[in-house]
Structure formats: C-alpha cells, structure tokens
Amino acid sequence: MLDDRDRKILVLLQEDAALAVSDLAERVSLSISACSRRIQRLEDEGYIARRVVLLDRALAGLPTTMFVIVRTARHSADWLEQFREAIIDVPEIVEVHRMTGTFDYILKLALPRVEAYDDIYKALIERVEFFDISASVSMETLKATTTLPTRYAR
C-alpha cells in the first residue's frame, strides 16, 4: 500500500530520476536511509519499472513525429506474430498500440524527416500483409509527458 510520501517520491523521480537520494529525502521529509529503503521497496514491488534518460528529439536528429494507422484483414495469432517481428527491431517505431474502433493499430514514429517514412513503409509491407496503412505527420505537439499521475497507484 502506498502512502503520500511514496507517491511524492514517485512524482519526483519521474521528473528527475538522477535526483540525489539526499535531495529526495529532504523533499519528502525522511532520513536518507529511510528514503533509500522506500525507493528500493518501490523498485522491488515494480512501481519503478526502470530509470531512463530522455533525449532531446531535435538534438538527436529526430524532430519529426508520424502516426501510422494500420488496418488488417487478418486477426490471427500468426499475423500478429509476423507484425510484432516486423516492428520490434525498427528503432524509429517508438510506440505501437492495438486499438478498438475503425482501425487496428497505431504506430508512433520518431523520424529525422518525413521522407524517412518511405523506407519504414517499404520494410513493413515487405514483411506483413495489411488491409490498409496510412500515415499522418504531427504538425505540433500540444502535450507530451512521461510523468504518470500517482493518485491511482495502490
């Protein structure tokens, strides 16, 4: 069961995973050892899945975001496995979601420029049969965060 201090630790670590335990402990009014034990418990219990560094997309040479909408006529386990194999090793594909509604999957791509999508498109259609595949370029990001709300955590 999480308490308010645990939730605050999770919020602070999501904002800056490199925050020193001493600074974190001070912000949540705990001793360094008590704070360290809580962080370890949060990791052991799976609340903290991993710690990562987020790159600046423009400086990384990947300023373009594209969303690819996929529809398939096949909904078999073997098609899904083919699809997973086709997308898993493409680093430009940063997210893939199976959807409800009028399309089956949405892919989020981080690209250096719009034209780079063509290579990924060709590689995908070579490996997997699609009913329909279409792409849209994101013109502007209105909100992007990696921070999850902690009020729902149990």
Side-chain angles (χ1 to χ4, degrees):
M1 185 69 95
L2 297 183
D3 63 18
D4 289 340
R5 282 191 175 135
D6 293 330
R7 286 183 175 81
K8 181 70 172 174
I9 289 169
L10 291 173
V11 168
L12 292 169
L13 286 175
Q14 285 185 93
E15 292 170 0
D16 183 2
L19 192 61
V21 176
S22 58
D23 293 335
L24 192 55
E26 184 178 322
R27 291 187 190 187
V28 297
S29 303
L30 285 172
S31 70
I32 294 172
S33 60
C35 186
S36 182
R37 283 192 303 273
R38 281 183 184 243
I39 293 168
Q40 186 61 54
R41 181 179 53 80
L42 292 167
E43 289 176 343
D44 292 345
E45 292 177 1
Y47 289 99
I48 299 172
R50 65 180 186 216
R51 298 183 195 204
V52 299
V53 172
L54 300 176
L55 302 182
D56 180 286
R57 295 258 316 257
L59 293 175
L62 298 164
T64 304
T65 300
M66 290 193 76
F67 292 94
V68 178
I69 307 286
V70 169
R71 291 176 56 208
T72 180
R74 296 179 52 207
H75 295 276
S76 64
D78 62 318
W79 184 93
L80 180 56
E81 187 56 33
Q82 266 188 317
F83 183 57
R84 284 182 195 204
E85 288 175 12
I87 62 174
I88 197 73
D89 293 325
V90 181
E92 294 85 356
I93 300 174
V94 295
E95 289 185 36
V96 178
H97 301 268
R98 188 166 55 90
M99 307 298 291
T100 62
T102 58
F103 54 89
D104 299 306
Y105 299 89
I106 187 166
L107 291 66
K108 180 180 177 183
L109 282 65
L111 300 169
R113 61 193 174 291
V114 172
E115 295 81 8
Y117 170 65
D118 193 46
D119 291 334
I120 294 167
Y121 170 80
K122 288 175 182 173
L124 288 175
I125 64 169
E126 229 175 73
R127 296 186 66 190
V128 184
E129 181 183 336
F130 297 102
F131 175 74
D132 183 49
I133 184 169
S134 61
S136 297
V137 178
S138 171
M139 299 298 291
E140 177 183 16
T141 301
L142 301 177
K143 180 179 180 179
T145 183
T146 59
T147 304
L148 298 176
T150 60
R151 68 176 172 243
Y152 304 103
R154 295 174 269 153

